[in-house]
Amino acid sequence: MKDLKENRELLVYRSLNARSVLDEEALNCLRQLEKGFQGEKYFEQWLKENGGDGIVLSDLLFEIGGSFVQIDSLFIKPDKMYVFNVKNSEGDYFAEGERWSTPAKKEMKNPLLQLKRSEALLTRLLQDKTINFPLEPFVVFVNPRFHLYNAPLDQPIIYYPQLNRFAEKLNQKRGRLTAFHDMLAKKLLDSHVEEYPFLKLPGYGFEGLRKGIVCLKCREFYQLLNRAYFICPVCKNKERAESSILRSIDEYKLLFPEKKITTDSIHTWCGGIKSKKAIRKILYENYGNLGNNRSSYFVPLR
C-alpha cells in the first residue's frame, strides 16, 4: 500500500552532487543515503516476493508525543504486524554489550536500541488509536558481506543467510486479511508525516548551481539531439525533451520550493537548451497559469 521512494533528503543530495562540488562530509552523507535506500529497496522486493499474504508499508515517519520515529518497513499479516529496521551495513563488527564497532573502533549506532524505540513509539501510536494488534520487531541485515562477532543469540536479528528460513516463518500461519487489516493500514498511512521537519542539508543557492538538464541514468548533462530528444554524451541515453524538462521543473521545485515557477526561471534552470517559447508551451500544457504578462507564474494542477 505504500512503496518505497527516494525521500527529499536523498533527492536533494543527488541534485547537488550533479550540479555542484560537494565536500567530503556531504559526499559521505550521500553515499550512506544511497546505500540505505538500496538496502531498503532490496528488502521491500524480497518481502513482496517471499512474505506471503500481507500488506507492505515502506518508509513511514510518525510524530508521536512530540518525538519523530522513522520505520523502514511494516508488514501487516493476518495475526500480527512485523516491524523491520533494515540495515545495509557491510564489513566486520564486534558486539560488546550495547556497543557495536569495527576492528578499527569505528562505532555503529546499535540498531537494536533503535528498534526498541521504534517498537515503543509505534505501540503508543496504536494505543492512542485504540487499536490492539501484536507487534514483532526485527533488525534485518540485507548485505551478505556483513558479519557481527559476539552476536547476541537472544535478540531479534535476521542476517542475510537466514532470509529463506525467515520466509518460512512468515508463511507458517494461515489466515485471511480482513477489513480490519485494511483499516489498520489506512490509519497508519493517515498518521504518516511526509517529511522530517529538521533535515540538515548542505547550503546552496540558485546562482551557485550548474544549469542544464541532468541525465536520468548517469547524472551527467544532456545535449540537444533534435527537436524532440536530448542525448547524454556519456552514456548515450536518450530522453524526450518534454519529459526531461518536466523532470527538471520537479527538481527546481524540490530545491527551491519558495521560488515561483516562471518561463524565465525554468529556461535558465534548464541551461537554455530549449527556447523560452518551447518552455512556455510545456508549462501551459502541464501547469496552471496565474497572473498576467511579465508577472505571470505557474502552479501545479490539482
Side-chain angles (χ1 to χ4, degrees), residues 9-17 26 29-30 33 200-202:
E9 185 179 21
L10 174 54
L11 291 174
V12 167
Y13 269 95
R14 280 182 183 172
S15 179
L16 295 181
N17 188 46
C29 187
L30 173 59
L33 290 169
K200 292 183 180 180
L201 299 171

Side-chain angles (χ1 to χ4, degrees), residues 16 19 202-211 255-256 259 269:
L16 295 181
R19 295 181 179 273
Y204 61 90
F206 184 81
E207 297 302 326
L209 299 180
R210 181 179 172 183
K211 310 304 186 292
L255 294 175
F256 307 103
K259 289 184 179 291
W269 180 244

